[in-house]
Amino acid sequence: MTEAIEETTDRIELGRRPDSDTEDFFRYIGDPDLPFIRTDFQYQHVDSQLYGLDGRIEAGYGSWGIQFRHTHYEERKPDDSLGLTGIHGLFRVSWSEKLELGLGLGGILLDGDGEKGGFSATFPVNLYPHRRFSLRFAPALSHINGNPLSDYDLSVGVVCQCFSLRSGYRWLTADSETINGPYIGVSIHY
């Protein structure tokens, strides 16, 4: 584990990416992996009566980070809403600019007809087959009052310096209830 932390920290280069399109070992300012700070904003279409707005902030340095994520679902008929808020301390490792793995532990708060909280874990995987293209899978498994809640988020992104355009699909399941649908969004990373 110590070696993974050292290699991840060694990747951080506090400068601008050279103008050439060559790939190297370092993580430069504005790259999407191992962000110092990243914000994500997404709109999810569930059906004609239900949609979700999602925001996430991640901050960190090297292997250590923190993530705050809030999703607000709004239903038109009947007029109802649901909020889902999670906060995780993150352990992130990356040996190259092609792959970033994470483990996050923290808590979750579900706000609907009342507030309920519980334990949550997330296991984000970011794959960069090309420096202009990304794949992200970010599952989160939670327990609220002994009831499991699973959240699976799968997306692709087009990456530019300091921002990305994303499209994906998200499944949120609690007992027999599921909220799922496609989303579009933007990420800003520094």
Side-chain angles (χ1 to χ4, degrees):
M1 190 160 117
T2 304
E3 186 176 319
I5 293 170
E6 287 175 6
E7 287 185 29
T8 299
T9 304
D10 287 346
R11 286 200 55 235
I12 297 187
E13 179 73 26
L14 297 176
R16 299 301 254 172
R17 178 175 289 281
D19 289 335
S20 70
D21 225 15
T22 60
E23 296 179 352
D24 61 25
F25 170 79
F26 294 108
R27 186 262 178 226
Y28 295 97
I29 289 177
D31 285 352
D33 61 322
L34 299 173
F36 297 110
I37 188 159
R38 174 174 48 217
T39 59
D40 301 320
F41 303 101
Q42 299 164 172
Y43 171 81
Q44 181 181 9
H45 176 80
V46 179
D47 62 35
S48 62
Q49 300 299 318
L50 181 62
Y51 68 93
L53 298 174
D54 180 60
R56 184 173 77 105
I57 297 172
E58 180 179 331
Y61 185 84
S63 293
W64 306 106
I66 189 165
Q67 171 185 276
F68 174 82
R69 184 174 190 177
H70 178 75
T71 306
H72 178 79
Y73 287 104
E74 191 71 36
E75 189 172 18
R76 293 183 180 100
K77 290 181 185 176
D79 189 20
D80 202 5
S81 65
L82 175 70
L84 184 65
T85 304
I87 187 165
H88 297 95
L90 295 174
F91 175 67
R92 314 176 299 183
V93 292
S94 178
W95 295 274
S96 80
E97 62 183 15
K98 300 284 187 191
L99 179 66
E100 176 188 351
L101 303 172
L103 169 63
L105 301 175
I108 191 165
L109 179 66
L110 184 64
D111 183 11
D113 294 333
E115 289 186 357
K116 297 174 180 79
F119 172 78
S120 180
T122 185
F123 312 94
V125 176
N126 295 295
L127 179 65
Y128 305 96
H130 184 273
R131 62 181 284 241
R132 299 277 183 220
F133 182 71
S134 70
L135 299 169
R136 179 189 297 167
F137 179 57
L141 304 174
S142 308
H143 279 275
I144 300 175
N145 293 337
N147 298 310
L149 176 73
S150 56
D151 184 357
Y152 300 102
D153 185 338
L154 180 64
S155 66
V156 297
V158 176
V159 179
C160 296
Q161 189 72 21
C162 296
F163 78 95
S164 302
L165 299 176
R166 306 203 68 75
S167 180
Y169 202 89
R170 187 175 179 192
W171 300 262
L172 183 63
T173 304
D175 293 327
S176 62
E177 299 296 319
T178 300
I179 298 173
N180 60 31
Y183 67 80
I184 58 170
V186 63
S187 299
I188 301 168
H189 33 81
Y190 180 79

